[in-house]
Amino acid sequence: MRLCAVIVLCCLLCSTIALAQDWKQVRKADEAKWAKETRLDPGTIHKLWRQASRAANDKDKDDDSRIADLDVEGLAERNQVLLVTYTGEKNCLTLTVFRQYSATTFSKLWSVEQGPDGQGFCDSPFGNASADVVKSVIEVRVPQAPDASNGYANYVVFDYEWNGITYRFTGKRAEQGR
């Protein structure tokens, strides 16, 4: 009986270590992908991801979030960068805007992970949540149930605009799916 418990404990420990190493490799691949796309250094991307993290400490293994988007152009006129991460079973988004001072120096300026209705920006069976910068406005699209009359997916779109100090919610609208 004790031998069986020891074997089970060893298997659990080995699988936990393997999972932690897998996450490290997944994160490295994400950082390399976004470095290639944005021309930022992978180490800088890792620092941005860490600053956006909701994990209680600085241990990478405590945060399972991944990068959904890293927009270095949409807010560039204000020297800002939008990092969108996702986490959880429903791929819920967190948006973080950084002020860029140099190629490797950024400070966290603003972050949001749910709309003013208190609901997260999450995928649903009807589609994927996304965030984009459109004419310097951050738009977050959250899928809703399809319209019964035409079968198209519906989205609620939350708009966030810069007011000179921070981003503020400026409106919500419905859109048909893309």
Side-chain angles (χ1 to χ4, degrees), residues 127-128 141-144 153-157 173-178:
N128 298 324
R141 296 170 53 87
V142 180
Q144 306 295 304
N154 288 321
Y155 288 83
V156 172
V157 180
R173 66 185 184 284
E175 268 186 17
Q176 283 194 334
R178 23 174 147 158

Side-chain angles (χ1 to χ4, degrees), residues 131-173:
D132 297 294
V133 177
V134 179
K135 298 181 182 175
S136 296
V137 175
I138 299 172
E139 295 183 352
V140 185
R141 296 170 53 87
V142 180
Q144 306 295 304
D147 187 332
S149 65
N150 61 21
Y152 288 111
N154 288 321
Y155 288 83
V156 172
V157 180
F158 298 92
D159 291 331
Y160 293 89
E161 293 183 32
W162 180 248
N163 67 8
I165 299 170
T166 190
Y167 285 86
R168 65 181 180 88
F169 171 73
T170 56
K172 168 176 136 175
R173 66 185 184 284

Side-chain angles (χ1 to χ4, degrees), residues 1 22-23 55 67 90 105 113 116 128 138-139 174:
M1 182 74 162
D22 286 346
W23 272 113
I67 298 172
K90 293 184 179 180
T105 306
E113 58 188 54
N128 298 324
I138 299 172
E139 295 183 352

Side-chain angles (χ1 to χ4, degrees), residues 28-74:
K28 272 189 145 184
D30 276 355
E31 291 162 2
K33 170 192 167 195
W34 289 105
K36 184 176 181 181
E37 190 166 313
T38 64
R39 292 188 223 114
L40 291 174
D41 178 73
T44 299
I45 292 170
H46 183 77
K47 287 179 195 174
L48 291 173
W49 171 78
R50 283 298 316 138
Q51 287 182 54
S53 174
R54 296 179 309 176
N57 60 40
D58 288 338
K59 304 245 186 236
D60 289 353
K61 66 183 177 185
D62 292 339
D63 189 337
D64 65 350
S65 67
R66 306 232 356 238
I67 298 172
D69 192 14
L70 180 54
D71 186 334
V72 296
E73 295 175 4

